[in-house]
Amino acid sequence: MKAARFPAYKDLSGFDFMASEINEATLRQLHKCEFMDGAQNVVLIGGPGTGKTHAATALGVQAIEHHRRKVRFFSTIELVNALEQEKAKGKVGQIAESLTRLDLVILDELGYLPFSASGGALLSTCSANSMSAPASSSPPISASANGPPSSGDAKMTTALLDRLTHRCHILETGNDSFRFKASSAAATQKKKGGTHGLDPNLTPGT
């Protein structure tokens, strides 16, 4: 589990389907991890705070704990930075080759944080190299995407998304952040609780 480098442990039992617009039946079907056998990708699309990272992580956790698969979680900007460092050291191709030894790659926050056009080109090339490997050694990718491409070269990011959506399951999580809704509800409840027990006959200042 440590090798996967998840930002936090999240499984499907903790996912709030009531607060998300995601298709529960589809996510539960993907949770069986059968999509990995056919090297099928999964793309989760929606606004920030709508459960994309949680859902993607839950798939990875299930793959490791119940199917003994090798999984690696990356934030997109983290992978782009690693690819740029690899190029600077003259070792281009090593990361792409290492990805082919995995069973599942999770790419988080695609289109959320901006990166350079050169970084976008490296990411696109890396994905092309790893996904062009034979199906038996080409790992499926679970990606969470936020809105329009934000790299310096939008065409590169669009091309990457186009490549990912080949043999792909697409799940939409909506645009309303349930983290924001939960915090708003808590603040409202706290406000109501603050007036509990006050004498209705009292007026402010008395």
Side-chain angles (χ1 to χ4, degrees):
M1 189 68 69
K2 186 177 181 180
R5 301 188 185 180
F6 295 119
Y9 180 94
K10 293 180 182 291
D11 58 22
L12 200 60
S13 65
F15 192 89
D16 188 356
F17 285 101
M18 295 296 291
S20 175
E21 296 180 25
I22 199 167
N23 187 307
E24 180 176 355
T26 301
L27 182 56
R28 290 195 181 280
Q29 179 62 36
L30 291 171
H31 194 245
K32 297 177 181 179
C33 294
E34 294 173 354
F35 71 94
M36 298 171 61
D37 296 328
Q40 299 168 356
N41 299 321
V42 177
V43 174
L44 297 125
I45 300 176
T50 56
K52 298 183 305 300
T53 300
H54 188 152
T57 301
L59 295 180
V61 167
Q62 178 74 2
I64 294 171
E65 291 186 336
H66 298 277
H67 300 276
R68 298 183 179 181
R69 300 297 187 101
K70 291 178 289 185
V71 179
R72 179 68 164 87
F73 182 104
F74 293 96
S75 70
T76 300
I77 195 68
E78 171 194 3
L79 181 55
V80 168
N81 288 339
L83 290 169
E84 290 184 325
Q85 291 174 12
E86 179 186 61
K87 181 179 180 181
K89 294 177 181 178
K91 299 179 179 179
V92 174
Q94 290 187 355
I95 292 177
E97 195 277 330
S98 70
L99 295 183
T100 64
R101 296 195 293 269
L102 298 171
D103 298 306
L104 176 65
V105 176
I106 298 175
L107 191 59
D108 195 33
E109 297 183 334
L110 181 61
Y112 183 62
L113 295 175
F115 46 83
S116 66
S118 60
L122 288 170
L123 180 61
S124 183
T125 300
C126 175
S127 65
N129 290 343
S130 61
M131 293 174 68
S132 63
S136 60
S137 61
S138 176
I141 296 175
S142 176
S144 65
N146 297 66
S150 60
S151 69
D153 188 340
K155 290 184 179 179
M156 286 292 184
T157 309
T158 301
L160 174 58
L161 282 171
D162 182 66
R163 191 173 294 118
L164 288 175
T165 52
H166 176 60
R167 295 188 317 233
C168 179
H169 301 273
I170 299 176
L171 290 87
E172 296 186 27
T173 60
N175 292 309
D176 295 331
S177 169
F178 58 70
R179 286 199 298 261
F180 176 76
K181 287 188 289 188
S183 61
S184 296
T188 300
Q189 187 63 33
K190 183 177 180 181
K191 185 177 180 180
K192 289 180 178 179
T195 60
H196 181 71
L198 290 180
D199 187 338
N201 295 318
L202 291 178
T203 57
T206 62

